[in-house]
Amino acid sequence: STHEAGRFGATEIGDEAQEVVLVVILDTKNKINAIHRVFTGSLNTSVAHPREIFRSALLNNGARILVYHNHPTSLFLVKNGSL
């Protein structure tokens, strides 16, 4: 579910001191094939090229991807309907 996906992202990168782009590659049954930290930036900057995101998915035979990005300088709040 989207709530489970949101909790997973918050658990993985929610407390990072730097901005992070994380890609989770799923199979056809929505099971995790791989988790890749595509980019780690600075306190307030993160640049990840789509090529890097899709490369991870292709190399790991992904059927679906989840892409996570954090903002360490602000509070992490999930509002109903925002996921």
Side-chain angles (χ1 to χ4, degrees):
S1 76
T2 56
H3 292 289
E4 290 175 27
R7 281 192 296 274
F8 178 82
T11 300
E12 291 294 313
I13 63 172
D15 61 351
E16 294 284 336
Q18 296 173 301
E19 290 202 8
V20 174
V21 176
L22 186 77
V23 177
V24 178
I25 294 95
L26 306 175
D27 65 13
T28 57
K29 296 181 181 177
N30 290 332
K31 302 296 181 196
I32 296 174
N33 271 358
I35 301 172
H36 289 277
R37 185 176 292 241
V38 176
F39 189 81
T40 301
S42 64
L43 177 63
N44 62 356
T45 304
S46 182
V47 179
H49 197 279
R51 160 182 65 237
E52 303 303 321
I53 293 168
F54 291 112
R55 178 183 299 151
S56 295
L58 292 171
L59 291 175
N60 288 281
N61 298 317
R64 296 168 184 84
I65 62 171
L66 301 173
V67 179
Y68 296 94
H69 171 68
N70 67 331
H71 292 276
T73 57
S74 62
L75 295 175
F76 180 83
L77 299 173
V78 176
K79 298 178 184 175
N80 287 337
S82 66
L83 294 177

Coordinates of all heavy atoms in Angstrom, one line a residue:
S1 N 0.8 -1.2 0.0 CA 0.0 0.0 0.0 C 0.9 1.3 0.0 O 2.1 1.2 0.3 CB -0.9 0.0 1.2 OG -0.2 0.3 2.4
T2 N 0.3 2.4 -0.3 CA 1.1 3.6 -0.3 C 1.5 4.0 1.1 O 2.6 4.6 1.2 CB 0.2 4.8 -0.9 OG1 -1.0 4.9 -0.1 CG2 -0.1 4.5 -2.3
H3 N 0.8 3.6 2.1 CA 1.2 3.9 3.5 C 2.4 3.1 3.9 O 3.3 3.6 4.5 CB 0.0 3.7 4.5 CG -1.1 4.7 4.3 ND1 -0.9 6.1 4.6 CD2 -2.3 4.6 3.7 CE1 -2.0 6.7 4.3 NE2 -2.9 5.8 3.8
E4 N 2.4 1.8 3.5 CA 3.6 1.0 3.8 C 4.8 1.5 3.0 O 5.9 1.5 3.6 CB 3.3 -0.5 3.4 CG 2.3 -1.1 4.2 CD 1.9 -2.5 3.7 OE1 2.7 -3.2 3.0 OE2 0.8 -3.0 3.9
A5 N 4.6 1.9 1.8 CA 5.7 2.4 1.0 C 6.2 3.7 1.6 O 7.5 3.9 1.7 CB 5.2 2.7 -0.4
G6 N 5.4 4.6 2.1 CA 5.8 5.8 2.8 C 6.6 5.5 4.1 O 7.6 6.1 4.3
R7 N 6.1 4.6 4.9 CA 6.8 4.2 6.1 C 8.2 3.6 5.8 O 9.2 3.9 6.5 CB 6.0 3.2 6.9 CG 4.9 3.9 7.7 CD 4.3 2.9 8.7 NE 3.6 1.8 8.1 CZ 2.4 1.8 7.7 NH1 1.6 2.8 7.8 NH2 1.8 0.7 7.1
F8 N 8.2 2.8 4.7 CA 9.5 2.2 4.3 C 10.5 3.3 4.0 O 11.7 3.3 4.5 CB 9.3 1.3 3.1 CG 10.6 0.7 2.6 CD1 11.1 -0.4 3.3 CD2 11.3 1.2 1.6 CE1 12.3 -1.0 2.8 CE2 12.5 0.7 1.1 CZ 13.0 -0.4 1.8
G9 N 10.1 4.3 3.2 CA 11.0 5.4 2.8 C 11.4 6.2 4.0 O 12.6 6.5 4.1
A10 N 10.5 6.5 4.9 CA 10.9 7.2 6.1 C 11.8 6.5 7.0 O 12.8 7.1 7.5 CB 9.6 7.6 6.9
T11 N 11.7 5.2 7.1 CA 12.6 4.3 7.8 C 14.0 4.3 7.2 O 15.0 4.4 7.9 CB 12.1 2.9 7.9 OG1 10.8 2.9 8.6 CG2 13.0 2.0 8.7
E12 N 14.0 4.2 5.9 CA 15.3 4.1 5.2 C 16.1 5.4 5.2 O 17.3 5.3 5.4 CB 15.1 3.6 3.8 CG 14.7 2.1 3.7 CD 15.7 1.1 4.2 OE1 16.9 1.3 3.8 OE2 15.3 0.3 5.0
I13 N 15.5 6.5 4.9 CA 16.3 7.7 4.7 C 15.7 8.9 5.4 O 16.2 10.0 5.3 CB 16.4 8.1 3.2 CG1 15.0 8.4 2.5 CG2 17.2 7.0 2.4 CD1 15.1 8.9 1.1
G14 N 14.7 8.7 6.3 CA 14.1 9.8 7.0 C 14.9 10.6 7.9 O 14.7 11.7 8.2
D15 N 16.0 9.9 8.5 CA 16.8 10.6 9.4 C 18.2 10.9 8.9 O 19.1 11.2 9.7 CB 17.0 9.7 10.7 CG 17.6 8.4 10.4 OD1 17.8 8.0 9.2 OD2 17.9 7.7 11.4
E16 N 18.4 10.9 7.6 CA 19.7 11.2 7.0 C 20.0 12.7 7.1 O 19.1 13.6 7.1 CB 19.6 10.9 5.5 CG 19.5 9.4 5.2 CD 20.8 8.7 5.4 OE1 21.9 9.3 5.3 OE2 20.8 7.5 5.6
A17 N 21.3 13.0 7.3 CA 21.7 14.4 7.5 C 21.9 15.1 6.1 O 22.0 16.3 6.1 CB 23.0 14.5 8.3
Q18 N 22.0 14.3 5.1 CA 22.1 14.8 3.7 C 20.9 14.4 2.9 O 20.3 13.4 3.2 CB 23.4 14.3 3.1 CG 24.7 14.7 3.8 CD 25.9 14.0 3.2 OE1 25.9 12.8 3.2 NE2 26.8 14.8 2.7
E19 N 20.7 15.1 1.8 CA 19.7 14.7 0.8 C 20.1 13.4 0.1 O 21.2 13.2 -0.2 CB 19.4 15.8 -0.2 CG 18.7 17.0 0.5 CD 17.9 17.8 -0.5 OE1 17.8 17.4 -1.7 OE2 17.4 18.9 -0.1
V20 N 19.1 12.5 0.0 CA 19.4 11.2 -0.6 C 18.3 10.9 -1.6 O 17.1 11.2 -1.4 CB 19.4 10.1 0.5 CG1 19.5 8.7 -0.1 CG2 20.5 10.3 1.5
V21 N 18.7 10.2 -2.7 CA 17.7 9.7 -3.6 C 17.9 8.2 -3.6 O 19.0 7.6 -3.8 CB 17.9 10.2 -5.1 CG1 17.0 9.5 -6.0 CG2 17.8 11.7 -5.1
L22 N 16.8 7.5 -3.2 CA 16.8 6.1 -3.0 C 15.8 5.4 -4.0 O 14.7 5.9 -4.2 CB 16.4 5.7 -1.6 CG 16.5 4.3 -1.1 CD1 17.9 3.9 -0.9 CD2 15.6 4.0 0.1
V23 N 16.3 4.3 -4.6 CA 15.4 3.6 -5.6 C 15.2 2.2 -5.1 O 16.2 1.5 -4.8 CB 16.0 3.6 -7.0 CG1 15.1 2.8 -8.0 CG2 16.2 5.0 -7.5
V24 N 13.9 1.8 -5.0 CA 13.6 0.5 -4.6 C 13.0 -0.2 -5.8 O 12.0 0.3 -6.4 CB 12.6 0.4 -3.4 CG1 12.2 -1.0 -3.1 CG2 13.2 1.2 -2.2
I25 N 13.6 -1.3 -6.2 CA 13.2 -2.0 -7.4 C 12.3 -3.2 -7.0 O 12.7 -4.0 -6.1 CB 14.4 -2.5 -8.3 CG1 15.1 -1.3 -8.8 CG2 13.9 -3.4 -9.4 CD1 16.3 -0.9 -8.0
L26 N 11.1 -3.3 -7.6 CA 10.1 -4.4 -7.2 C 10.0 -5.3 -8.4 O 10.1 -5.0 -9.5 CB 8.8 -3.7 -6.9 CG 8.8 -2.7 -5.8 CD1 7.4 -2.1 -5.7 CD2 9.3 -3.2 -4.5
D27 N 9.6 -6.6 -8.0 CA 9.3 -7.6 -9.1 C 7.8 -7.5 -9.4 O 7.1 -6.6 -9.0 CB 9.7 -9.0 -8.6 CG 9.0 -9.5 -7.4 OD1 7.9 -8.9 -7.0 OD2 9.4 -10.5 -6.8
T28 N 7.3 -8.5 -10.2 CA 6.0 -8.4 -10.6 C 5.0 -8.7 -9.5 O 3.8 -8.4 -9.6 CB 5.7 -9.5 -11.7 OG1 6.1 -10.8 -11.2 CG2 6.5 -9.1 -13.0
K29 N 5.5 -9.2 -8.3 CA 4.6 -9.5 -7.2 C 4.8 -8.4 -6.1 O 4.4 -8.6 -5.0 CB 4.9 -10.8 -6.6 CG 4.5 -11.9 -7.6 CD 4.7 -13.3 -7.1 CE 4.4 -14.3 -8.2 NZ 4.6 -15.7 -7.7
N30 N 5.5 -7.3 -6.5 CA 5.7 -6.2 -5.6 C 6.6 -6.6 -4.4 O 6.6 -6.0 -3.3 CB 4.4 -5.5 -5.1 CG 3.7 -4.8 -6.2 OD1 4.3 -4.3 -7.1 ND2 2.4 -4.7 -6.0
K31 N 7.5 -7.5 -4.6 CA 8.5 -7.9 -3.7 C 9.8 -7.2 -4.0 O 10.1 -7.0 -5.2 CB 8.8 -9.4 -3.6 CG 7.6 -10.2 -3.3 CD 7.0 -9.9 -2.0 CE 5.8 -10.8 -1.7 NZ 5.1 -10.3 -0.5
I32 N 10.6 -6.8 -3.1 CA 11.8 -6.0 -3.3 C 12.9 -6.9 -4.0 O 13.2 -7.9 -3.4 CB 12.3 -5.4 -2.0 CG1 11.3 -4.4 -1.5 CG2 13.7 -4.7 -2.3 CD1 11.7 -3.8 -0.1
N33 N 13.3 -6.4 -5.1 CA 14.5 -7.1 -5.8 C 15.8 -6.4 -5.4 O 16.8 -7.1 -5.2 CB 14.4 -6.9 -7.3 CG 13.6 -8.0 -8.0 OD1 13.1 -8.9 -7.4 ND2 13.4 -7.8 -9.3
A34 N 15.8 -5.1 -5.2 CA 17.0 -4.4 -4.9 C 16.7 -3.0 -4.3 O 15.6 -2.5 -4.6 CB 17.9 -4.3 -6.1
I35 N 17.6 -2.5 -3.6 CA 17.5 -1.2 -3.0 C 18.8 -0.5 -3.4 O 19.9 -1.0 -3.1 CB 17.3 -1.2 -1.5 CG1 16.1 -1.9 -1.1 CG2 17.3 0.3 -1.0 CD1 15.9 -2.1 0.4
H36 N 18.7 0.7 -4.1 CA 19.9 1.4 -4.5 C 19.9 2.9 -4.0 O 18.9 3.6 -4.2 CB 20.1 1.4 -6.0 CG 20.5 0.1 -6.6 ND1 21.8 -0.3 -6.6 CD2 19.7 -0.9 -7.1 CE1 21.8 -1.5 -7.1 NE2 20.5 -1.9 -7.4
R37 N 20.9 3.3 -3.4 CA 21.1 4.7 -3.0 C 21.7 5.3 -4.2 O 22.9 5.2 -4.5 CB 22.0 4.8 -1.8 CG 22.2 6.2 -1.3 CD 23.0 6.2 -0.1 NE 22.3 5.6 1.0 CZ 21.9 6.2 2.1 NH1 22.3 7.5 2.3 NH2 21.2 5.6 3.1
V38 N 20.9 6.0 -5.1 CA 21.4 6.5 -6.4 C 22.2 7.7 -6.2 O 23.2 7.9 -6.9 CB 20.1 6.8 -7.3 CG1 20.6 7.4 -8.6 CG2 19.3 5.5 -7.5
F39 N 21.9 8.5 -5.2 CA 22.7 9.7 -5.0 C 22.6 10.2 -3.6 O 21.6 10.1 -3.0 CB 22.2 10.8 -5.9 CG 23.1 12.0 -6.0 CD1 24.3 12.1 -6.7 CD2 22.8 13.1 -5.2 CE1 25.1 13.2 -6.7 CE2 23.6 14.3 -5.2 CZ 24.8 14.3 -6.0
T40 N 23.7 10.7 -3.1 CA 23.8 11.4 -1.8 C 24.3 12.7 -2.0 O 25.4 12.9 -2.6 CB 24.7 10.6 -0.8 OG1 24.2 9.3 -0.6 CG2 24.7 11.3 0.6
G41 N 23.5 13.7 -1.6 CA 23.9 15.1 -1.9 C 24.4 15.8 -0.7 O 25.0 15.2 0.2
S42 N 24.2 17.1 -0.6 CA 24.6 17.9 0.5 C 23.4 18.1 1.4 O 22.4 17.5 1.3 CB 25.1 19.2 0.0 OG 24.1 20.0 -0.6
L43 N 23.5 19.1 2.3 CA 22.4 19.4 3.2 C 21.2 19.8 2.5 O 20.1 19.4 2.9 CB 22.9 20.5 4.2 CG 21.8 21.0 5.1 CD1 21.4 19.9 6.1 CD2 22.3 22.2 5.9
N44 N 21.3 20.5 1.4 CA 20.1 21.0 0.7 C 20.1 20.8 -0.8 O 19.3 21.4 -1.5 CB 19.8 22.4 1.0 CG 20.9 23.3 0.5 OD1 21.9 22.8 0.0 ND2 20.8 24.6 0.7
T45 N 20.9 19.9 -1.3 CA 21.0 19.7 -2.8 C 21.2 18.2 -3.1 O 22.0 17.5 -2.4 CB 22.2 20.4 -3.4 OG1 22.0 21.8 -3.1 CG2 22.2 20.2 -4.9
S46 N 20.4 17.7 -4.0 CA 20.5 16.3 -4.5 C 20.2 16.3 -6.0 O 19.1 16.8 -6.4 CB 19.6 15.4 -3.7 OG 19.8 14.1 -4.1
V47 N 21.1 15.8 -6.8 CA 20.9 15.7 -8.2 C 21.1 14.3 -8.7 O 22.1 13.7 -8.5 CB 21.9 16.6 -9.0 CG1 21.7 16.5 -10.5 CG2 21.8 18.1 -8.5
A48 N 20.0 13.7 -9.2 CA 20.1 12.3 -9.7 C 19.5 12.3 -11.1 O 18.4 12.8 -11.3 CB 19.3 11.4 -8.8
H49 N 20.3 11.9 -12.0 CA 19.9 11.8 -13.4 C 18.9 10.6 -13.6 O 19.2 9.5 -13.0 CB 21.1 11.7 -14.3 CG 20.8 12.0 -15.7 ND1 20.2 11.1 -16.6 CD2 21.0 13.1 -16.4 CE1 20.0 11.7 -17.8 NE2 20.5 12.9 -17.7
P50 N 17.9 10.8 -14.4 CA 16.9 9.6 -14.6 C 17.7 8.4 -15.1 O 17.3 7.3 -14.8 CB 16.0 10.2 -15.7 CG 16.0 11.7 -15.5 CD 17.4 12.0 -15.0
R51 N 18.7 8.6 -15.9 CA 19.5 7.5 -16.4 C 20.0 6.5 -15.2 O 19.9 5.3 -15.4 CB 20.7 8.0 -17.1 CG 21.9 7.1 -17.4 CD 23.0 7.8 -18.1 NE 23.6 8.8 -17.3 CZ 23.8 10.1 -17.8 NH1 23.3 10.5 -18.9 NH2 24.4 11.0 -17.0
E52 N 20.4 7.1 -14.1 CA 20.8 6.3 -13.0 C 19.7 5.5 -12.3 O 19.9 4.4 -11.9 CB 21.5 7.2 -11.9 CG 22.7 8.0 -12.5 CD 23.8 7.1 -13.1 OE1 24.0 6.1 -12.6 OE2 24.3 7.6 -14.1
I53 N 18.6 6.2 -12.3 CA 17.4 5.5 -11.7 C 16.9 4.4 -12.5 O 16.7 3.3 -12.0 CB 16.2 6.6 -11.5 CG1 16.7 7.6 -10.5 CG2 14.9 5.9 -11.1 CD1 15.8 8.8 -10.4
F54 N 16.8 4.6 -13.8 CA 16.3 3.5 -14.7 C 17.4 2.4 -14.9 O 17.0 1.3 -15.1 CB 15.8 4.1 -16.0 CG 14.6 4.9 -15.9 CD1 14.6 6.2 -16.0 CD2 13.4 4.2 -15.5 CE1 13.4 7.0 -15.9 CE2 12.2 5.0 -15.3 CZ 12.2 6.3 -15.5
R55 N 18.7 2.8 -14.8 CA 19.7 1.8 -14.9 C 19.5 0.7 -13.8 O 19.6 -0.5 -14.0 CB 21.1 2.4 -14.9 CG 22.2 1.3 -14.9 CD 23.6 2.0 -14.8 NE 23.8 2.9 -15.8 CZ 24.6 4.0 -15.7 NH1 25.2 4.2 -14.6 NH2 24.8 4.7 -16.7
S56 N 19.3 1.2 -12.6 CA 19.1 0.3 -11.5 C 17.9 -0.6 -11.7 O 18.0 -1.8 -11.5 CB 18.8 1.1 -10.2 OG 19.9 1.9 -9.8
A57 N 16.8 -0.1 -12.2 CA 15.6 -0.9 -12.5 C 15.9 -1.9 -13.6 O 15.5 -3.1 -13.4 CB 14.5 0.0 -12.9
L58 N 16.6 -1.5 -14.6 CA 16.9 -2.5 -15.7 C 17.8 -3.6 -15.3 O 17.6 -4.7 -15.7 CB 17.4 -1.7 -17.0 CG 16.4 -0.8 -17.6 CD1 17.1 0.1 -18.7 CD2 15.3 -1.6 -18.3
L59 N 18.9 -3.2 -14.6 CA 19.9 -4.2 -14.2 C 19.4 -5.2 -13.2 O 19.9 -6.3 -13.1 CB 21.1 -3.5 -13.7 CG 22.0 -2.7 -14.7 CD1 23.1 -2.0 -14.1 CD2 22.5 -3.7 -15.8
N60 N 18.3 -4.8 -12.5 CA 17.7 -5.7 -11.5 C 16.4 -6.3 -11.9 O 15.6 -6.7 -11.1 CB 17.6 -4.9 -10.2 CG 18.9 -4.7 -9.6 OD1 19.5 -5.6 -9.0 ND2 19.5 -3.5 -9.7
N61 N 16.1 -6.3 -13.2 CA 14.9 -6.9 -13.7 C 13.6 -6.4 -13.0 O 12.7 -7.1 -12.7 CB 15.0 -8.4 -13.7 CG 16.1 -9.0 -14.5 OD1 16.3 -8.5 -15.6 ND2 16.8 -9.9 -13.9
G62 N 13.6 -5.1 -12.8 CA 12.5 -4.5 -12.1 C 11.2 -4.4 -13.0 O 11.2 -4.0 -14.1
A63 N 10.1 -4.7 -12.3 CA 8.8 -4.5 -13.0 C 8.2 -3.1 -12.6 O 7.5 -2.5 -13.3 CB 7.8 -5.6 -12.6
R64 N 8.6 -2.7 -11.4 CA 8.2 -1.4 -10.8 C 9.3 -0.8 -10.0 O 10.2 -1.5 -9.6 CB 7.0 -1.6 -9.9 CG 5.7 -2.1 -10.6 CD 4.7 -2.6 -9.6 NE 3.6 -3.2 -10.3 CZ 3.5 -4.5 -10.7 NH1 4.5 -5.3 -10.5 NH2 2.5 -4.9 -11.3
I65 N 9.2 0.5 -9.9 CA 10.2 1.2 -9.0 C 9.5 2.2 -8.0 O 8.4 2.7 -8.3 CB 11.3 2.0 -9.8 CG1 10.6 3.1 -10.6 CG2 12.1 1.1 -10.7 CD1 11.6 4.0 -11.3
L66 N 10.1 2.3 -6.9 CA 9.7 3.4 -5.9 C 10.9 4.3 -5.8 O 12.0 3.8 -5.6 CB 9.4 2.8 -4.6 CG 8.3 1.7 -4.5 CD1 8.2 1.1 -3.1 CD2 6.9 2.4 -4.9
V67 N 10.7 5.6 -5.9 CA 11.8 6.5 -5.8 C 11.5 7.4 -4.6 O 10.4 8.0 -4.4 CB 11.9 7.4 -7.1 CG1 13.0 8.4 -6.9 CG2 12.1 6.6 -8.3
Y68 N 12.5 7.5 -3.7 CA 12.4 8.3 -2.5 C 13.4 9.4 -2.5 O 14.5 9.2 -2.9 CB 12.6 7.4 -1.2 CG 11.6 6.3 -1.1 CD1 11.9 5.0 -1.6 CD2 10.5 6.5 -0.4 CE1 11.0 4.0 -1.4 CE2 9.5 5.5 -0.2 CZ 9.8 4.2 -0.7 OH 8.9 3.2 -0.5
H69 N 13.0 10.5 -1.9 CA 13.9 11.6 -1.8 C 13.6 12.3 -0.5 O 12.4 12.5 -0.2 CB 13.7 12.6 -2.9 CG 14.4 13.9 -2.8 ND1 15.8 14.0 -2.8 CD2 13.9 15.1 -2.6 CE1 16.1 15.3 -2.7 NE2 15.0 16.0 -2.5
N70 N 14.5 12.6 0.3 CA 14.3 13.3 1.6 C 14.7 14.7 1.6 O 15.3 15.2 0.7 CB 15.1 12.6 2.7 CG 16.5 12.7 2.6 OD1 17.1 12.9 1.5 ND2 17.3 12.7 3.7
H71 N 14.2 15.4 2.6 CA 14.6 16.8 2.8 C 15.0 17.0 4.3 O 14.1 17.2 5.2 CB 13.4 17.8 2.6 CG 13.0 17.8 1.1 ND1 13.6 18.6 0.2 CD2 12.1 17.1 0.4 CE1 13.1 18.5 -1.0 NE2 12.2 17.5 -0.9
P72 N 16.3 16.8 4.6 CA 16.7 16.8 6.0 C 16.6 18.1 6.7 O 16.6 18.2 7.9 CB 18.2 16.4 5.9 CG 18.6 16.8 4.5 CD 17.4 16.6 3.7
T73 N 16.4 19.2 6.0 CA 16.3 20.5 6.6 C 14.9 20.9 7.1 O 14.6 21.9 7.6 CB 16.8 21.6 5.7 OG1 16.0 21.6 4.5 CG2 18.3 21.5 5.4
S74 N 13.9 20.0 6.8 CA 12.5 20.2 7.2 C 11.9 19.0 7.9 O 12.5 17.9 7.8 CB 11.7 20.6 5.9 OG 11.7 19.5 5.0
L75 N 10.8 19.2 8.5 CA 10.2 18.1 9.2 C 9.5 17.2 8.2 O 9.0 17.6 7.2 CB 9.1 18.6 10.1 CG 9.6 19.5 11.3 CD1 8.4 20.0 12.0 CD2 10.4 18.7 12.2
F76 N 9.5 15.9 8.5 CA 8.9 14.9 7.6 C 7.5 14.7 8.1 O 7.3 14.1 9.2 CB 9.7 13.6 7.6 CG 9.1 12.5 6.8 CD1 9.3 12.5 5.4 CD2 8.2 11.6 7.3 CE1 8.7 11.5 4.6 CE2 7.7 10.6 6.5 CZ 7.9 10.6 5.2
L77 N 6.5 15.1 7.4 CA 5.1 15.0 7.8 C 4.4 14.3 6.6 O 4.5 14.8 5.5 CB 4.5 16.3 8.1 CG 5.1 17.1 9.3 CD1 4.4 18.5 9.3 CD2 4.9 16.4 10.6
V78 N 3.6 13.3 6.9 CA 2.8 12.7 5.9 C 1.3 13.1 6.2 O 0.8 12.8 7.3 CB 2.9 11.2 5.9 CG1 2.0 10.5 4.9 CG2 4.4 10.8 5.6
K79 N 0.7 13.7 5.2 CA -0.7 14.1 5.4 C -1.6 13.0 4.7 O -1.1 12.4 3.7 CB -1.0 15.5 4.8 CG -0.2 16.5 5.5 CD -0.5 17.9 4.8 CE 0.4 19.0 5.4 NZ 0.3 20.2 4.7
N80 N -2.8 12.9 5.1 CA -3.7 11.9 4.4 C -3.8 12.3 3.0 O -4.0 13.5 2.7 CB -5.0 11.9 5.1 CG -5.0 11.2 6.4 OD1 -4.1 10.4 6.7 ND2 -5.9 11.5 7.3
G81 N -3.7 11.4 2.1 CA -3.8 11.6 0.7 C -2.6 12.2 0.0 O -2.6 12.4 -1.2
S82 N -1.5 12.4 0.7 CA -0.3 12.9 0.1 C 0.6 11.9 -0.5 O 1.6 12.2 -1.2 CB 0.5 13.8 1.1 OG 1.0 13.0 2.1
L83 N 0.4 10.6 -0.2 CA 1.2 9.5 -0.8 C 0.5 9.0 -2.0 O -0.6 8.9 -2.2 CB 1.4 8.4 0.3 CG 2.2 8.9 1.5 CD1 2.3 7.7 2.4 CD2 3.6 9.3 1.1

